[in-house]
Amino acid sequence: MDIVGNVLPQVLKDEATEDKGEMARLQSFVGAIAVADLVKTTLGPKGMDKILKPTGPGQEMTHITVTNDGATILKSMYVENPAAKILIEISKTQDEEVGDGTTTVAVLAGELLREGEKLIQKRIHPQHVIAGWRIARDVALKTLRDISSENDIESQEFHNDLIKIARTTLSSKLITSDRDYFADLCVKAVLRLKGSSNLDYIQIIKLPGGTIRDSYLDDGFILKKQITIGCKRRIENAKILVANTAMDYDKIKIYGTKVKVNSMDKVAEIEAAEKEKMKHKVDKILKFQPTVFVNRQLIYNYPEQLLADSGVTVIEHADFEGMERVAAATGAEILSTFDAPERRDQVLGHCDLIEEIMIGEEKMIKFTGCKKNEACTIVLRGSSIHILDEVDRSIHDVLCVLITTVKNRRVVWGGGNSEMQMAAACEEEAKKVQGKQALAIEAYARALRQIPTIICDNGGYDSAELIQNFKVELQKGNLSSGLNMNDGTVGDMKELGIKECMRVKEQAVMAASEAAELIMRVDDIVKCAPRKRERA
Amino acid sequence: MSLAFDDYGRPYIILRDQGQKKRMKGLEAYKSNILAAKAVANTLQSSLGPKGMDKMLVSPDGDVAVTNDGATIVEKMEIQHPTAKLLVELSQSQDAEIGDGTTGVVVLAGKLLEQALTLLDKGIHPLKISDGFDRACDVAIKHLESIAEEIDIQANDHEALIQAACTALGSKVVSKRKRELGKIAVTAVLDVADLKRKDVNLDLIKIQTKTGGSVEDTRLISGILIDKDMSHPQMQKEVTDAKICLLTCPFEPPKPKTKHNINISNAEDYKKLYQQEQQYFIDMVKLVKDSGANIALCQWGFDDEANHLLLQNDLPAVRWVSGTDVELIAMATGARIIPRFQEITPEKLGKAGSIKEVQFGTSNERMLVIENCQCTKAVTILIRGGSQMIVDEAKRSIHDAICVIRNLIKDNRIVYGGGSAELACALQVLQYADEVSSVEQYAVRSFADALEGIPNCLADNCGLNPITSVAQAKSRQLTEKNPRIGIDCMELGTSDMKEQKIYETLSSKKQQIQLATQVVKMILKIDDVIAPDDY
């Protein structure tokens, strides 16, 4: 390392790189916009799906995923570009927080950066752009809150709102043709929760076979397990004991214990003691007088036989979630010790009927008339597992949106209405602001307007004309107008019944602005040398 | 590498593996070191001030962090050059000592080195330079103390503290909400501060992050938030008037550390062992219950059976509570940490108004909030934001703000920001330079130039013309005898930093100048670098 002249000594590690100023900015813009463009085509009712193929040898054609859920697409992509990673991150957060709008948030952030790039090219300092965006964001959020409406949670209007929101959310998914059916189904499921936001109570079972139309909501609870052979297949007025205990053999939990014997007789003795220990446990269980015994762990033949002999129906190896659901639905306590049979009434769960049913070709156990009626099951049918997976994701989105709506209760018109109104408000604001920030506010408005534009484009309509007409309609005072994606016109959202959850939009606008700002502020990217991995 | 040769032209081998080592000495070494250190300072330079930009850092594993905190940037850059590493440590020691001003200190060191380079070119000996810098530093510190003002931190609802916090937050991505976050930070610090001793134990402020929502949703919880839920899904989700039993032993049969074997040779023993095992669990739960506790927090895991027994006895419990949380809870609730079940006594229980489980978002994540603790000293700041990067950066920013407030509580003297303090010091040092009769005069003068570099850099980052604005501020300081004139970064129309309420702590500024000078002196003393070739 010789420094004759002004050759900089190497400061960073060998493979590390540093990009500064314009180069850094360019790199993040390119990355973020590329990601946004990638998911852009899935936006709206006429959006297209993507096939995700896993990498790795031997897996190319198995486990493919077909989806148009933004979060799923972005999650499965491996990107190098740090700015692109930020976009993926906000999409994930959107998914966790409100469950829907995952594409919108990434596209909006991408569009903001696209507009930002233009401003930077006009030699406007990034900090000025950010200052403008901040003003615009506040205006947009205020507008969003102002245009939203609220209905009482008990009222019929609110129920209708929920159905409309579910329909709107579903309209961009695979099952759009059956959206009325599914909207009704999801709303019913969510209303059963009575305001609680615990999605655990809604179980989704996917079974290939039949058509999507054959899916249904079951008001009972379905456990994807079989009743052990030799037990009754139908129990009325069941008393259920839910347990999480070892029923194979009881491990000795005291550390360092070893069984050492010196004769065959002793072995037999120990074996008998072991058996007796198990019998003792079964006896204790029987003192609770259950008619059904559900255990999380597997049950060996011996205790199973003992239980079956006493007329108790045994269900073994229920998975943890399933067991929690059974407990929640039937009001049972999950037991691990069995020394207090006098608490029988408190710990046993109850339901009117347990029976083994056949869905398609699979046997399942159905609990109907449970003590706590919040739980329910959505049984999804469809011709292939890929379709089912996608329907599952769609239903999950809808349920999340509905739960968010139940919590927040505020709704806005769909069809790009809220974005256009927010954009209009931003443009109004831009007229009042002095300085360069105004340009950024206008840019923000353009980015918002890109969302309906992309929806139009995806539908194959003339977006330039439609959006202009839309603008005019709003200007005229038809505040409920929006895009009618069925005939490619501007219609009245009130008539079409297209509504969206305000919270989803709010979160999307907030998260996209934050992410865009974060990326905009960067003027230097340092990439450390990648960690060397030993290849196995 | 220069070598000594004997009469036959063979080199003397002085160092081990001499051929594989590289050696730089003299002027070459000085310059190389200075350039390397300056490269780091240059990277940070654009992050300085309210309009400073952020850096995106990609870790060796591909994780992305976006930040404008000097200490974090240099730490994550993974610098390998030995001299440049000194600047990393410089920034980190500022972080450890003061918590804020980590960018400023590196930039100042960079400016000083830049000046040193020109002085070296003039042929001034490095030691003379460092001597001059040292003297100038003393003058600057003295002047800094004379222009510092005491502020009343209590007045006007702690307005001064909030303003100082806002100054610290102003340069971060969360600057939009600086007022709200500043207030949160001030309330948090004051809640845990010991105003009599003028001390703040920052361990009592827990900063918890959770993605989702937006930065506005960040809030202060006057209690502790732990990222755990009840051990059994059916336990009560809320306990009021909680009596907390804080355990660091698992609800499991004991595992003695000495190796041992229990040999069972007959059925009788087998049965006995089983009973004993059962008894263990019953005893454990009984001991907890008998002490009057109505919730147990445990650092370790539970056996299934114990877990159920706890439920059966209406004793909600939490398992796998992290060690730091255990300590925090102990401090807040006055609980004693109990290492053995036998030692549980009612006096050792902690008390809290309520403990409840709260849920976030759709993904079913739950956390426990412990509120109204007996000794309400611990608080939690729950940071929300659109993505992991934002909450991480918000966490770093709030940490900075908290440190500033703590420093103000310790020492309520402030200087004004916006480069005004540096300018004032520069003017003072310049005046002093003329009094020095030796070669050091040049170094002292250069020190003043370096100090001026800070406002220069601020102005540059804000898109102002650095030369004009610094010149203006300088002349106004002299003519108006007002050391508070700085750079109007936010374009508010006034250059008086008192009016703009840009407060910086005296301790932070002092530390910055002292540390930067020290490091520069250290770098100037290196005249020989010997390193393995492939380094």
Side-chain angles (χ1 to χ4, degrees):
Chain A
M1 208 191 317
D2 151 325
I3 63 140
V4 189
N6 274 325
V7 184
L8 265 185
Q10 189 183 6
V11 176
L12 297 171
K13 280 193 182 155
D14 266 348
E15 283 167 61
T17 54
E18 183 177 7
D19 288 308
K20 290 190 170 202
E22 291 305 307
M23 276 310 290
R25 219 165 270 138
L26 193 69
Q27 201 187 343
S28 32
F29 286 148
V30 167
I33 292 172
V35 166
D37 281 351
L38 189 103
V39 288
K40 194 160 106 172
T41 55
T42 64
L43 204 64
K46 301 270 167 102
M48 305 299 269
D49 290 2
K50 308 260 176 230
I51 286 187
L52 305 170
K53 251 165 62 173
T55 48
Q59 288 197 320
E60 282 83 1
M61 286 318 287
T62 55
H63 303 111
I64 60 162
T65 315
V66 185
T67 183
N68 82 359
D69 180 48
T72 314
I73 299 172
L74 292 174
K75 249 189 265 176
S76 344
M77 286 197 318
Y78 292 101
V79 293
E80 265 290 309
N81 188 294
K85 279 188 187 157
I86 295 181
L87 251 59
I88 294 175
E89 187 71 29
I90 52 167
S91 184
K92 270 194 226 164
T93 314
Q94 176 87 5
D95 193 30
E96 281 165 22
E97 185 72 10
V98 287
D100 193 33
T102 51
T103 314
T104 316
V105 69
V107 171
L108 187 56
E111 290 302 330
L112 274 172
L113 288 169
R114 197 193 301 275
E115 292 293 335
E117 191 183 9
K118 285 183 204 155
L119 293 176
I120 302 269
Q121 274 166 5
K122 286 188 200 159
R123 315 301 305 160
I124 294 177
H125 195 271
Q127 292 285 2
H128 283 129
V129 178
I130 290 169
W133 282 354
R134 286 181 170 178
I135 300 172
R137 188 192 87 139
D138 283 352
V139 172
L141 287 178
K142 191 175 168 298
T143 316
L144 190 63
R145 280 175 204 136
D146 288 348
I147 60 170
S148 65
S149 57
E150 191 176 352
N151 276 320
D152 187 59
I153 196 152
E154 296 293 334
S155 67
Q156 186 60 36
E157 286 86 39
F158 186 68
H159 188 245
N160 289 345
D161 275 356
L162 284 181
I163 297 227
K164 282 174 192 161
I165 289 172
R167 278 175 40 125
T168 314
T169 311
L170 282 168
S171 62
S172 62
K173 314 283 179 191
L174 189 68
I175 40 178
T176 169
S177 53
D178 295 311
R179 61 176 180 217
D180 291 327
Y181 181 72
F182 279 102
D184 192 46
L185 193 146
C186 292
V187 171
K188 272 187 188 147
V190 167
L191 286 180
R192 285 178 78 96
L193 294 177
K194 297 192 183 78
S196 123
S197 58
N198 196 343
L199 265 184
D200 282 353
Y201 287 123
I202 303 176
Q203 193 192 16
I204 298 179
I205 288 182
K206 294 178 276 188
L207 280 176
T211 64
I212 294 178
R213 230 12 222 272
D214 295 331
S215 309
Y216 62 94
L217 177 79
D218 202 301
D219 51 349
F221 171 82
I222 294 178
L223 193 65
K224 222 173 157 181
K225 281 282 165 266
Q226 291 185 21
I227 293 177
T228 311
I229 301 156
C231 299
K232 271 197 280 181
R233 291 279 178 268
R234 183 187 159 91
I235 306 107
E236 277 176 44
N237 234 339
K239 290 200 188 80
I240 307 155
L241 190 134
V242 185
N244 175 15
T245 185
M247 291 296 271
D248 35 6
Y249 69 99
D250 256 332
K251 277 189 301 257
I252 300 169
K253 287 169 185 161
I254 293 172
Y255 186 70
T257 315
K258 259 189 198 162
V259 179
K260 260 193 190 161
V261 288
N262 42 21
S263 73
M264 284 307 278
D265 289 354
K266 290 276 161 86
V267 178
E269 255 176 54
I270 299 263
E271 200 195 335
E274 205 173 62
K275 245 185 175 174
E276 199 183 325
K277 188 170 153 189
M278 190 42 77
K279 182 157 193 324
H280 186 60
K281 196 169 190 176
V282 171
D283 283 344
K284 279 203 274 186
I285 291 170
L286 286 175
K287 276 205 189 118
F288 283 87
Q289 297 169 346
T291 49
V292 179
F293 178 70
V294 184
N295 191 18
R296 186 171 91 89
Q297 302 173 21
L298 82 166
I299 304 176
Y300 269 18
N301 288 352
Y302 178 64
E304 189 178 286
Q305 179 211 329
L306 286 176
L307 287 166
D309 283 350
S310 323
V312 178
T313 304
V314 181
I315 302 166
E316 64 168 339
H317 230 211
D319 57 310
F320 198 80
E321 257 179 48
M323 194 184 64
E324 266 187 46
R325 284 206 188 102
V326 170
T330 61
E333 197 171 280
I334 301 172
L335 295 170
S336 293
T337 57
F338 308 96
D339 294 322
E342 68 281 357
R343 289 178 70 245
R344 186 180 304 140
D345 293 339
Q346 291 158 39
V347 299
L348 289 190
H350 179 265
C351 80
D352 292 342
L353 178 67
I354 297 179
E355 60 181 336
E356 196 171 75
I357 51 165
M358 297 272 289
I359 306 175
E361 284 172 358
E362 277 199 64
K363 283 182 189 161
M364 311 235 169
I365 308 164
K366 182 173 161 187
F367 298 70
T368 22
C370 300
K371 205 190 223 169
K372 290 196 182 130
N373 225 351
E374 285 165 2
C376 60
T377 305
I378 297 174
V379 180
L380 294 179
R381 309 297 315 271
S383 47
S384 85
I385 193 72
H386 299 135
I387 292 178
L388 284 176
D389 283 345
E390 177 63 0
V391 174
D392 179 17
R393 278 189 289 273
S394 312
I395 296 278
H396 175 259
D397 278 7
V398 177
L399 292 176
C400 288
V401 171
L402 288 177
I403 282 181
T404 316
T405 319
V406 170
K407 262 201 246 168
N408 180 274
R409 302 229 291 276
R410 304 198 76 92
V411 292
V412 291
W413 298 111
N417 176 290
S418 54
E419 283 91 354
M420 291 296 277
Q421 294 219 39
M422 282 191 274
C426 287
E427 269 171 2
E428 268 315 302
E429 183 68 24
K431 289 177 192 160
K432 296 179 215 153
V433 173
Q434 282 195 335
K436 287 180 259 195
Q437 287 94 316
L439 288 175
I441 302 177
E442 279 167 15
Y444 196 97
R446 275 197 299 279
L448 278 171
R449 203 164 276 145
Q450 275 301 308
I451 300 275
T453 312
I454 293 169
I455 295 179
C456 279
D457 284 340
N458 286 347
Y461 300 120
D462 183 352
S463 60
E465 184 167 332
L466 262 181
I467 296 297
Q468 182 54 33
N469 292 350
F470 190 174
K471 241 162 134 178
V472 172
E473 282 296 318
L474 284 177
Q475 196 67 36
K476 276 190 207 155
N478 298 332
L479 292 181
S480 60
S481 51
L483 295 173
N484 179 344
M485 289 306 287
N486 293 331
D487 356 310
T489 52
V490 178
D492 189 353
M493 291 295 115
K494 212 182 271 177
E495 279 165 30
L496 290 165
I498 299 180
K499 283 196 171 185
E500 281 178 278
C501 171
M502 194 275 267
R503 180 81 188 93
V504 174
K505 292 270 170 225
E506 193 184 23
Q507 175 70 25
V509 171
M510 286 198 292
S513 314
E514 271 178 10
E517 194 181 306
L518 195 69
I519 295 172
M520 197 59 155
R521 285 173 63 101
V522 170
D523 75 336
D524 194 321
I525 300 179
V526 179
K527 277 190 194 147
C528 295
R531 199 185 296 284
K532 298 271 182 300
R533 287 206 176 74
E534 306 280 310
R535 284 263 158 173
Chain B
M1 173 147 215
S2 57
L3 293 171
F5 299 96
D6 63 9
D7 295 348
Y8 304 101
R10 286 177 308 202
Y12 286 117
I13 304 291
I14 301 159
L15 302 165
R16 190 157 66 155
D17 299 335
Q18 184 159 308
Q20 275 135 49
K21 284 195 176 141
K22 249 185 341 181
R23 182 164 178 211
M24 268 190 297
K25 57 180 191 175
L27 209 55
E28 188 194 13
Y30 290 122
K31 288 196 174 174
S32 162
N33 286 340
I34 289 176
L35 282 175
K38 256 191 65 193
V40 178
N42 274 347
T43 299
L44 286 193
Q45 196 165 320
S46 62
S47 285
L48 194 73
K51 300 237 169 137
M53 306 296 277
D54 290 0
K55 309 282 173 252
M56 195 181 265
L57 301 148
V58 185
S59 81
D61 300 317
D63 298 328
V64 181
V66 179
T67 180
N68 128 335
D69 180 54
T72 316
I73 298 172
V74 289
E75 185 200 324
K76 295 203 172 184
M77 272 170 84
E78 298 216 336
I79 288 165
Q80 71 157 17
H81 193 282
T83 330
K85 268 188 186 161
L86 287 176
L87 286 204
V88 178
E89 277 161 32
L90 167 70
S91 183
Q92 277 163 356
S93 60
Q94 172 83 10
D95 194 33
E97 187 64 25
I98 303 289
D100 185 38
T102 50
T103 315
V105 69
V106 176
V107 173
L108 183 59
K111 295 281 172 199
L112 282 170
L113 287 168
E114 200 174 311
Q115 294 296 334
L117 202 60
T118 27
L119 292 175
L120 282 172
D121 281 344
K122 279 185 190 160
I124 299 177
H125 192 273
L127 277 183
K128 293 280 175 202
I129 301 175
S130 81
D131 228 29
F133 279 179
D134 217 11
R135 287 207 211 168
C137 174
D138 287 344
V139 174
I141 298 290
K142 221 171 269 164
H143 187 62
L144 210 52
E145 277 174 1
S146 72
I147 61 166
E149 293 178 20
E150 277 193 20
I151 50 160
D152 185 2
I153 54 170
Q154 304 281 359
N156 205 355
D157 217 10
H158 306 290
E159 183 58 30
L161 289 183
I162 298 176
Q163 282 302 340
C166 287
T167 309
L169 291 169
S171 61
K172 315 287 181 185
V173 72
V174 292
S175 59
K176 183 159 181 256
R177 298 287 146 199
K178 62 180 176 189
R179 180 94 201 153
E180 288 88 337
L181 293 180
K183 264 189 193 157
I184 287 177
V186 170
T187 327
V189 174
L190 287 176
D191 274 356
V192 302
D194 186 344
L195 288 177
K196 263 183 233 143
R197 280 200 305 127
K198 292 196 170 177
D199 190 26
V200 184
N201 182 357
L202 288 188
D203 288 345
L204 292 171
I205 302 177
K206 190 178 174 199
I207 303 182
Q208 181 84 39
T209 59
K210 179 90 188 73
T211 52
S214 126
V215 177
E216 277 99 290
D217 301 330
T218 299
R219 61 198 173 104
L220 181 73
I221 295 163
S222 56
I224 304 165
L225 192 74
I226 46 175
D227 194 359
K228 288 279 172 295
D229 51 6
M230 296 294 182
S231 63
H232 195 286
Q234 286 167 328
M235 281 175 184
Q236 287 164 256
K237 303 282 182 239
E238 192 172 347
V239 180
T240 42
D241 285 325
K243 294 192 188 65
I244 304 162
C245 179
L246 210 53
L247 293 165
T248 51
C249 45
F251 272 94
E252 276 165 15
K255 285 180 186 164
K257 294 211 173 60
T258 34
K259 270 201 171 170
H260 69 288
N261 277 325
I262 301 170
N263 287 336
I264 294 170
S265 49
N266 57 38
E268 201 60 32
D269 286 354
Y270 183 85
K271 277 182 203 158
K272 226 187 254 168
L273 193 72
Y274 172 66
Q275 265 156 19
Q276 202 155 26
E277 190 183 283
Q278 298 281 304
Q279 201 56 41
Y280 263 127
F281 293 123
I282 294 167
D283 286 348
M284 279 177 199
V285 177
K286 193 166 177 302
L287 280 167
V288 177
K289 189 79 189 168
D290 283 353
S291 69
N294 55 11
I295 184 161
L297 303 179
C298 181
Q299 201 181 352
W300 300 99
F302 298 170
D303 193 274
D304 278 344
E305 276 181 49
N307 201 1
H308 175 253
L309 271 176
L310 286 168
L311 171 73
Q312 207 171 45
N313 283 302
D314 281 328
L315 197 67
V318 185
R319 57 184 153 187
W320 300 121
V321 181
S322 76
T324 43
D325 282 346
V326 166
E327 279 171 29
L328 197 61
I329 294 166
M331 274 193 274
T333 62
R336 293 271 296 279
I337 299 173
I338 305 168
R340 264 190 294 274
F341 285 100
Q342 286 73 24
E343 287 172 22
I344 302 174
T345 54
E347 305 84 64
K348 287 183 182 169
L349 301 181
K351 291 188 185 65
S354 78
I355 297 181
K356 60 176 179 240
E357 219 176 68
V358 286
Q359 197 180 3
F360 295 98
T362 59
S363 57
N364 224 343
E365 281 186 65
R366 302 189 186 97
M367 290 193 190
L368 281 179
V369 185
I370 306 175
E371 277 178 319
N372 296 329
C373 305
Q374 191 182 24
C375 336
T376 46
K377 281 201 100 183
V379 291
T380 308
I381 299 176
L382 176 65
I383 299 178
R384 310 293 313 270
S387 70
Q388 193 59 45
M389 292 100 189
I390 293 195
V391 291
D392 285 349
E393 176 66 357
K395 183 175 176 178
R396 284 188 286 267
S397 313
I398 288 197
H399 172 258
D400 278 9
I402 286 174
C403 288
V404 169
I405 300 160
R406 178 199 55 182
N407 295 339
L408 270 182
I409 288 175
K410 275 186 176 168
D411 179 356
N412 64 349
R413 283 177 299 171
I414 55 145
V415 290
Y416 293 94
S420 64
E422 283 88 353
L423 260 186
C425 287
L427 288 171
Q428 187 67 28
V429 171
L430 214 51
Q431 211 178 350
Y432 167 75
D434 296 337
E435 298 164 17
V436 182
S437 59
S438 55
V439 192
E440 281 94 338
Q441 190 188 83
Y442 289 91
V444 174
R445 203 167 282 146
S446 297
F447 191 89
D449 284 346
L451 280 175
E452 240 170 67
I454 298 279
N456 211 313
C457 180
L458 270 179
D460 202 17
N461 287 348
C462 300
L464 302 167
N465 185 335
I467 301 172
T468 17
S469 38
V470 172
Q472 262 174 13
K474 220 160 106 179
S475 77
R476 279 190 64 193
Q477 281 216 359
L478 274 177
T479 48
E480 296 173 25
K481 298 249 174 306
N482 181 354
R484 300 183 299 269
I485 302 289
I487 306 293
D488 179 18
C489 295
M490 304 307 289
E491 288 163 71
L492 295 177
T494 169
S495 299
D496 192 331
M497 291 300 134
K498 195 171 189 178
E499 282 168 40
Q500 284 211 11
K501 296 194 173 135
I502 308 293
Y503 299 153
E504 283 186 63
T505 56
L506 172 66
S507 50
S508 161
K509 265 280 131 62
K510 253 165 74 180
Q511 183 90 2
Q512 270 185 23
I513 297 180
Q514 278 168 337
L515 281 179
T517 315
Q518 264 172 31
V519 166
V520 169
K521 273 168 62 190
M522 199 199 290
I523 295 177
L524 281 176
K525 276 199 166 165
I526 307 169
D527 73 339
D528 205 332
V529 181
I530 302 170
D533 207 9
D534 54 352
Y535 195 73

